[in-house]
Amino acid sequence: LSQQTRLTAGTDLRFIQQSLDEFASGVKGFNFFDQVNSPLPKSQSANPGLLAELRHDVDERLSLTAGTRVDYVDARVDDDPANLQMLGIDGASLAAILGTDQFDQNFVPWAAFLTGQYQLDDDWKLTFGTGHSERPPSLTELYVAESYLFLLQNGENTATGDPQLAPERLTQIDLGLQLNHDRLRGGANGFFGWIQDYITFEN
């Protein structure tokens, strides 16, 4: 736009296909199970996104940068329904394990930020910023059906997805001070974040 103002814009596309077959045999109580599958069924996620960033030098001391991103995420199970009927050591359907048959999910996560830096004098510079971002759940977090994940090393614990998860959300503010004086350099930075709908394991 000008020497003081610069605009960058773009788009991208992420496409993920994922699946896992995990077969196990053993005894649960008085029931023997043989080669039962606890899978992440064949699933996919398509994610086109738009992004833009604007930088403006207000004067010799102050510069500001603002940016935003908007995504559309379409996640779905793309497996043969016949493969989703007898799963896990109890031989249940994928819908019974996950608690719903609404596998197709759509998300519109977005992100935006504003950062700046102000040159207090020849040696000291103040930096600041605030932003918001969202992360949609992964295919594993949505659809995994009683798999033994390496993240859980505690006996017989398994992981089960939830197709009704909401995206994680984070809002954060940052403040920093930097010193650059001859041979002496240093700085201090602090931040505070508010996290909502954090995705984690539930016992």
Side-chain angles (χ1 to χ4, degrees):
L1 299 177
S2 68
Q3 290 184 345
Q4 291 77 33
T5 305
R6 295 174 292 281
L7 175 65
T8 304
T11 182
D12 58 22
L13 172 66
R14 286 178 255 183
F15 182 77
I16 299 173
Q17 284 187 322
Q18 199 168 359
S19 65
L20 167 72
D21 289 310
E22 186 178 274
F23 295 95
S25 302
V27 177
K28 180 183 179 181
F30 296 101
N31 297 321
F32 174 76
F33 56 92
D34 182 44
Q35 289 297 298
V36 297
N37 193 12
S38 299
L40 169 62
K42 184 179 179 182
S43 50
Q44 66 180 37
S45 172
N47 173 200
L50 298 172
L51 59 132
E53 181 180 281
L54 180 67
R55 178 181 173 90
H56 178 62
D57 296 326
V58 179
D59 53 35
E60 293 182 353
R61 290 180 176 271
L62 177 63
S63 64
L64 300 172
T65 302
T68 186
R69 178 185 177 97
V70 179
D71 290 85
Y72 176 77
V73 180
D74 178 77
R76 61 185 59 205
V77 173
D78 190 29
D79 210 333
D80 186 340
N83 297 332
L84 308 177
Q85 299 307 310
M86 299 292 291
L87 303 177
I89 60 178
D90 294 320
S93 67
L94 181 64
I97 292 173
L98 300 183
T100 179
D101 61 357
Q102 302 299 310
F103 302 142
D104 294 356
Q105 297 294 323
N106 299 307
F107 308 96
V108 188
W110 62 277
F113 71 90
L114 173 66
T115 62
Q117 56 184 26
Y118 184 75
Q119 195 73 39
L120 299 171
D121 55 29
D122 292 339
D123 298 329
W124 292 95
K125 180 169 65 177
L126 178 69
T127 61
F128 54 90
T130 183
H132 175 87
S133 64
E134 299 182 354
R135 181 188 76 84
S138 68
L139 295 175
T140 299
E141 292 163 341
L142 291 171
Y143 304 128
V144 68
E146 299 181 344
S147 293
Y148 291 90
L149 300 183
F150 287 126
L151 295 175
L152 297 174
Q153 294 291 330
N154 186 10
E156 297 180 351
N157 283 349
T158 61
T160 299
D162 183 355
Q164 297 178 327
L165 286 171
E168 291 182 342
R169 293 176 289 163
L170 168 65
T171 302
Q172 183 170 309
I173 57 174
D174 299 76
L175 187 63
L177 189 64
Q178 298 179 8
L179 170 65
N180 188 355
H181 176 71
D182 294 335
R183 297 183 179 181
L184 177 63
R185 296 182 181 181
N189 296 277
F191 69 92
F192 188 87
W194 295 267
I195 301 175
Q196 296 174 288
D197 295 320
Y198 180 65
I199 298 174
T200 187
F201 294 106
E202 180 181 16
N203 191 27

